[in-house]
């Protein structure tokens, strides 16, 4: 297709003639059928809602078609309106635009829906089973049309995938403001999501799905590698490292698929169970996992050999994770690090496959007999925890990987609580990510080259490495390890072939590092050393971006971990400090109603305006969270905040006085 034709189709919006209906493509990984949750009147409302996007002349055909989709899939995706062109990240100028910032947003949306990037591309789901970019194809089409025609004096407003419209604003305001799944707090249960989503009025945006900031599994490869390295430092008491050690987990999906690759980078043997053969095929064909086994006895033999040879290999097991934990316990295979990355934020609709049922049986049961399916999930979680407990008694370090495993296992009645009611195992943020990274401002900074050219990515890698190498010379001891890990990561990133989709890179940096790197990129764009603008952003899973009591803010111990002021303030603050787009979500990682999170995107186009904005916005975007973590008395954050106040005029943050426990004990005698 010529570029002119592509531009025409992207900016078309809803076509004036009905496109030909599209056959269901079974070569693509599809979302499972969703629960039949609406009553008769609500089903009627869902169809009526869907028809709002189309001229009345289409209604007789579409009303029946949409009713059928609702019946067959539990949702109205409007498959007929899926475009004919290939959706993927492209060179910025291949998109139709009047505003370059709007074109960069199109690039990011397109990457999130790329068949080789998205988990269920035809259902507009990027990752995590239900992490939606849009609810249906009409929303996609209208959004792309608006973006193609908007100017730098308008702002596009998107409510849970629905493009509310273009509103006049000004050139320094965000070009796009997105909210996902924001509901009245009392209406935030899992079933509320099912219902509102089936009605077409709300969606689960996960974190970077609904904010268009997903960069494929690379994002999580880095976080997982950092987590495994630091977990390894914790368990290798005499500094023996990870050689010959074993990591066991589950999931080769959107995010979880990064585990074997990250384990390889960290230098530990990994066994990852996955029930979906298509997910295994994808990761194996990408070279992210080295070997695949479906025979558990052969797997046991292979693992024994790898351990005794101190070999680093990553192995996918086609089957249920429960079987692995039980078998390895029976066979006395020592597991050093253990976790789980099934999608337990979405336990009843395909996020977790219970042991004892085949993949197909589960898919059928979850919609045909949801109560029986729920019971099977609960029983499976109880079995899984029993087996994990057998391992941890022998020394396995098990941690929750931000997928609501501990929460759902406890709700299922598994033996996962200590006598004081706390979880038996830590979340990876409590032990590792929180105190070692977030409290010091280190989080998942990322960028995307709008040229879509690997050569530009190579230049950015070099620039980023140079910036960090300069900064590390003056880094205090508390953050030296983080700086060194990230310098090593960025120097090896190109060789590790991490790109899937857009030309993107991630590394962990604090405010100082992020600002230095972004400024250097902006200068390089201005001087033509990088051929097109760079989009910077981050995962919501960051220092300030997410309030989530069992994950990002699980190491907040002043009682405020159930508040969400930080995440909401963060988005508001980013929006008036220069972000190109911002988004605020209910749900992400651990489930609807369990987390509030937000993110931003910012276009660096080489101008002095971009320089001013990046300095202002990145500083707030990190230090908001450090200030909150410091107020919660987190030692690392108190240190980082003091350092920041010393060097930043105008930054005055309320710092806590630390009460002496004896003084409080004395006062407590009054009760
Ligand atoms: N640790 C992090 O930083 C982090 C980041 C993002 C997401 N997450 C969370 O991790 C979870 C996984 O994310 P994802 O994007 O990979 O989701 P996903 O749905 O794409 O992948 C999960 C995979 O687990 C498989 N699975 C489910 N039950 C299984 C079982 N019993 N045995 C073996 N395989 C099973 C599924 O088939 C699926 O492929 C989510 O809950 C997500 O929110 C964690």
């Amino acid at each position: 297709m010529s570029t002119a034709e592509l531009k025409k189709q992207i900016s078309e919006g809803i076509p004036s003639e009905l496109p030909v209906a599209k056959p269901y493509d079974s070569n693509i990984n599809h979302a499972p059928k969703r629960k039949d949750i609406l009553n008769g009147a609500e089903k009627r409302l869902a169809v009526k809602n869907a028809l709002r996007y189309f001229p009345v002349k289409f209604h007789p055909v579409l009303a029946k078609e949409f009713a059928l989709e609702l019946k067959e899939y539990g949702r109205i995706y409007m498959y007929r309106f899926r475009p004919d062109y290939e959706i993927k990240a492209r060179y910025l100028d291949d998109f139709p635009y009047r505003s370059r910032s709007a074109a960069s947003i199109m690039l990011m949306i397109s990457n999130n829906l790329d068949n080789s990037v998205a988990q269920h591309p035809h259902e507009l789901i990027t990752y995590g089973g239900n992490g939606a970019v849009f609810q249906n194809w009409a929303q996609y089409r209208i959004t792309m049309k608006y973006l193609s025609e908007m100017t730098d004096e308008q702002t596009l407003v998107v409510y849970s995938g629905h493009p509310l419209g273009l509103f006049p604003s000004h050139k320094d305001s965000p070009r796009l403001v997105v909210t996902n799944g924001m509901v009245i707090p009392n209406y935030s249960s899992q079933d509320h999501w099912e219902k509102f989503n089936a009605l077409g009025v709300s969606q689960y945006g996960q974190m970077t799905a609904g904010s268009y900031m997903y960069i494929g599994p690379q994002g999580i490869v880095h976080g997982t590698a950092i987590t495994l390295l630091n977990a390894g430092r914790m368990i290798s008491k005499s500094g023996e490292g990870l050689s010959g050690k074993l990591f066991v987990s589950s999931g080769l999906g959107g995010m979880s698929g990064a585990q074997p690759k990250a384990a390889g980078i960290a230098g530990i043997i990994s066994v990852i169970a996955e029930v979906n053969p298509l997910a295994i095929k994808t990761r194996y064909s990408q070279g992210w996992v080295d070997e695949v086994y479906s025979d558990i006895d052969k797997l046991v033999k292979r693992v024994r050999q790898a351990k005794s040879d101190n070999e680093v290999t990553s192995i996918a097991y086609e089957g249920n994770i429960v079987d692995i934990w039980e078998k390895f316990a029976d066979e006395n295979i020592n597991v050093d690090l253990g976790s789980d990355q099934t999608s337990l934020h979405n336990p009843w609709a395909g996020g977790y496959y219970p042991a004892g049922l085949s993949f197909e049986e589960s898919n059928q049961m979850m919609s045909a007999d949801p109560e029986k399916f729920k019971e099977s999930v609960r029983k499976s979680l109880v079995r899984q925890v029993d087996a994990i407990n057998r391992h941890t008694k022998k020394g396995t370090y098990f941690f929750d990987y931000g997928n609501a495993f501990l929460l759902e296992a406890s709700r299922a009645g598994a033996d996962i609580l200590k006598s004081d009611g706390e979880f038996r195992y830590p979340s990876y943020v409590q032990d590792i990510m929180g105190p070692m990274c977030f409290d010091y401002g280190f989080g998942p900074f990322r960028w995307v080259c709008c040229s879509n050219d690997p050569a530009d990515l190579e230049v950015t890698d070099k620039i980023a490495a140079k910036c960090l190498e300069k900064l590390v010379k003056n880094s205090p001891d508390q953050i030296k390890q983080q700086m060194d890990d990230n310098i090593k990561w960025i120097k090896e990133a190109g060789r590790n072939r991490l790109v899937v989709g857009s030309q993107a890179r991630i590394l962990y940096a604090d405010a100082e590092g992020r600002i230095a790197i972004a400024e250097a990129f902006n200068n390089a764009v201005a001087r033509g050393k990088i051929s097109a603008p760079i989009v910077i952003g981050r995962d919501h899973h960051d220092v300030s971006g997410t309030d989530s009591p069992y994950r990002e803010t699980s190491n907040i111990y002043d009682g405020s971990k159930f508040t969400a002021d930080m995440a909401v303030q963060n988005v508001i603050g980013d929006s008036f400090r220069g972000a190109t787009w911002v988004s605020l979500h209910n749900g992400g990682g651990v489930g609807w109603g369990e987390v509030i999170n937000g993110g931003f995107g910012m276009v660096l186009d080489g101008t002095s305006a971009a320089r001013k904005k990046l300095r202002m916005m990145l500083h707030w975007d990190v230090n908001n969270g450090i200030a909150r973590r410091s107020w919660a008395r987190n030692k690392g954050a108190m240190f980082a905040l003091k350092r920041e106040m010393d060097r930043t005029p105008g930054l005055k943050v309320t710092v806590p006085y630390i009460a002496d426990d004896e003084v409080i004990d004395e006062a407590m005698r009054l009760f």
Side-chain angles (χ1 to χ4, degrees):
M1 187 181 294
S2 70
T3 309
E5 179 57 26
L6 177 74
K7 287 186 181 181
K8 191 168 149 236
Q9 291 195 20
I10 292 177
S11 52
E12 184 183 27
I14 302 297
S16 52
E17 296 299 325
L18 261 191
V20 182
K22 293 206 160 49
Y24 190 80
D25 183 349
S26 40
N27 291 319
I28 291 277
N29 192 348
H30 286 282
K33 180 177 176 183
R34 305 295 185 191
K35 192 168 161 182
D36 180 15
I37 192 143
L38 303 181
N39 63 30
E42 288 163 343
K43 282 179 177 141
R44 194 186 158 79
L45 185 58
V47 172
K48 195 170 176 186
N49 283 349
L51 291 174
R52 281 185 286 193
Y53 292 106
F54 303 95
V56 172
K57 64 175 179 176
F58 294 165
H59 289 190
V61 174
L62 294 183
K64 287 199 194 94
E65 192 166 301
F66 292 167
L68 209 61
E69 282 192 16
L70 188 60
K71 191 166 172 221
E72 296 251 305
Y73 311 113
R75 297 289 186 272
I76 301 171
Y77 297 114
M78 311 180 181
Y79 287 122
R80 180 193 285 266
F81 292 92
R82 195 162 50 74
D84 291 322
Y85 56 86
E86 195 185 349
I87 303 181
K88 60 176 188 180
R90 301 165 188 275
Y91 173 46
L92 195 69
D93 287 346
D94 289 349
F95 291 96
Y97 68 81
R98 291 169 74 194
S99 150
R100 277 198 124 190
S101 298
S104 74
I105 298 168
M106 284 191 250
L107 183 158
M108 302 293 282
I109 289 176
S110 304
N111 188 57
N112 274 24
L113 292 173
D114 182 335
N115 280 0
S116 64
V117 173
Q119 185 186 15
H120 307 306
H122 290 188
E123 287 78 32
L124 303 108
I125 302 288
T126 301
Y127 70 94
N130 55 359
V133 189
F134 297 100
Q135 299 178 68
N136 57 56
W137 287 103
Q139 294 179 343
Y140 165 82
R141 280 178 171 266
I142 297 169
T143 300
M144 293 301 268
K145 181 173 167 58
Y146 281 146
L147 288 168
S148 72
E149 61 197 25
M150 76 183 288
T151 69
D152 282 331
E153 305 220 320
Q154 288 172 302
T155 293
L156 174 62
V157 176
V158 175
Y159 288 5
S160 280
H162 167 64
L164 189 73
L166 289 172
F167 291 78
S169 59
H170 58 85
K171 66 176 171 25
D172 290 327
S173 63
R175 297 279 67 81
L176 168 69
V177 177
V178 176
T179 45
N180 277 303
M182 300 309 293
V183 292
I184 304 303
N186 273 345
Y187 298 82
S188 205
S189 70
Q190 190 71 22
D191 271 356
H192 283 118
W193 165 70
E194 293 274 6
K195 187 165 172 167
F196 301 148
N197 194 223
L199 283 171
V201 296
S202 193
Q203 75 176 8
Y204 188 81
Q206 273 282 13
M207 294 192 156
T208 53
S211 63
Y212 324 141
M213 198 38 84
Y214 190 68
I215 53 166
Q218 177 185 174
I220 212 69
V221 171
H222 178 259
T224 311
I226 292 282
T227 304
L228 291 177
L229 276 171
N230 284 317
R233 285 178 189 128
M234 273 170 52
I235 62 163
S236 61
K237 307 233 160 43
S238 40
E240 73 276 17
L242 289 175
S243 172
K245 291 199 162 82
L246 174 65
F247 170 56
V248 166
S249 186
S250 54
L252 288 173
M255 289 287 168
S256 49
Q259 293 177 106
K261 181 92 179 165
I265 292 171
I268 187 168
I269 304 163
S270 59
V271 172
I272 314 293
E274 169 58 64
V275 288
N276 182 348
L278 269 181
I280 295 186
K281 200 172 144 202
T282 304
R283 293 300 172 224
Y284 185 64
S285 67
Q286 285 168 346
W288 286 50
V289 63
D290 298 326
E291 305 171 51
V292 180
Y293 283 80
S294 51
D295 179 322
I296 203 160
D297 291 312
K298 287 189 182 150
L299 172 74
V300 166
K301 218 170 135 201
R302 177 71 187 101
V303 170
R304 284 213 166 98
Q305 185 205 353
K307 281 180 90 124
S308 73
D309 294 352
N310 278 351
E311 202 183 332
V312 178
T313 184
S314 58
I315 307 175
Y317 169 66
E318 191 182 328
N320 204 293
I321 182 63
V322 179
D323 298 332
I324 292 282
W325 283 115
E326 289 177 347
K327 181 77 175 173
F328 283 12
D330 294 344
E331 296 279 343
N332 260 321
I333 293 202
N334 219 357
V335 178
D336 301 281
L337 294 177
S339 194
D340 187 275
Q341 262 204 63
T342 55
S343 276
L344 271 165
H345 67 274
N346 175 30
W348 320 127
Y352 182 89
Y353 286 80
L357 294 176
S358 72
F359 183 56
E360 292 75 21
E361 282 166 340
S362 283
N363 280 337
Q364 220 226 340
M365 193 193 286
M366 70 183 78
S367 60
D369 193 347
E371 282 315 309
K372 192 168 170 203
F373 183 71
K374 273 190 188 178
E375 201 38 43
S376 309
V377 169
R378 289 193 195 101
K379 280 193 180 141
S380 181
L381 282 169
V382 169
R383 253 176 77 182
Q384 186 170 341
V385 170
D386 284 344
I388 290 169
N389 290 346
R390 285 169 69 195
H391 285 275
T392 55
K393 273 194 194 117
K394 291 189 286 179
T396 303
Y397 175 75
F398 183 87
F399 56 96
D400 181 290
Y401 214 152
N403 61 339
F405 177 78
L406 296 175
L407 187 66
E408 287 306 333
S410 68
R411 286 174 178 163
D415 180 13
I416 198 96
L417 298 176
K418 295 188 288 191
S419 54
D420 61 3
E422 293 290 320
F423 292 128
R424 207 185 260 272
Y425 304 114
S427 100
Y428 70 117
V429 175
Q430 263 176 308
D431 269 16
I432 303 164
M433 220 42 122
M436 295 183 189
C437 298
F438 292 165
D439 286 353
Y440 291 100
F442 282 81
F445 180 60
R446 58 184 58 183
W447 62 89
V448 174
C449 300
C450 290
S451 60
N452 209 30
D453 183 351
D456 271 346
L457 186 62
E458 217 181 304
V459 176
T460 60
D461 284 347
K462 289 199 177 117
I463 292 176
K466 210 166 145 194
C467 287
L468 295 186
E469 278 176 329
K470 191 168 163 207
L471 289 176
V472 75
K473 289 184 188 145
N474 295 316
S475 288
D477 288 349
Q478 286 88 335
I479 63 169
K480 253 204 160 65
Q481 183 78 67
Q482 285 307 325
M483 295 293 283
D484 287 342
D485 282 351
N486 282 285
I487 290 168
K488 181 169 181 287
W489 160 268
I490 195 70
K491 286 187 153 174
E492 290 173 6
R495 262 201 310 279
N496 276 324
R497 294 183 297 122
L498 296 156
V499 168
V500 178
S502 57
Q503 293 298 319
R505 188 67 75 219
I506 181 172
L507 55 73
Y508 266 47
D510 60 2
E512 192 183 25
R514 298 184 207 202
I515 291 170
I517 293 170
E519 209 171 324
F521 288 169
N522 197 49
N523 291 340
V525 173
R527 290 199 308 268
K529 292 198 162 167
I530 298 174
S531 69
I534 299 284
V535 167
I536 56 167
R538 58 164 170 76
D539 193 352
H540 298 192
H541 172 65
D542 194 9
V543 183
S544 323
T546 296
D547 276 300
S548 180
Y550 301 108
R551 211 169 90 168
E552 286 78 352
T553 37
S554 58
N555 73 323
I556 298 282
Y557 301 105
D558 70 349
S560 73
K561 69 178 176 183
F562 297 101
T563 63
D565 300 293
M566 176 182 74
V568 175
Q569 287 277 0
N570 212 62
V571 168
I572 296 172
D574 283 356
S575 75
F576 64 77
R577 286 183 175 85
T580 308
W581 72 98
V582 288
S583 69
L584 183 64
H585 301 193
N586 166 23
V590 288
W592 229 43
E594 308 285 358
V595 47
I596 298 290
N597 59 98
F600 75 89
M602 179 184 263
V603 179
L604 304 178
D605 58 3
T607 58
S608 57
R611 180 166 174 261
K612 190 170 159 210
K613 287 176 183 175
L614 77 86
R615 286 175 154 230
M616 222 172 2
M617 200 213 71
L618 290 174
H619 186 269
W620 158 255
D621 190 61
V622 176
N623 282 298
N624 168 41
I626 295 184
R628 187 267 176 108
R629 289 165 190 275
S630 152
W631 185 239
R633 295 180 285 259
N634 290 12
K635 279 208 183 86
M638 290 174 74
F639 167 84
L641 184 68
K642 181 171 181 312
R643 192 167 166 249
E644 194 60 59
M645 283 202 283
D646 287 347
R647 68 173 171 224
T648 310
L651 178 68
K652 287 187 196 310
V653 178
T654 318
V655 292
Y657 293 101
I658 308 295
D660 190 326
D661 279 337
E662 279 179 24
V663 175
I664 301 173
D665 290 345
E666 183 74 27
M668 287 304 100
R669 292 201 189 105
L670 292 172
F671 289 99

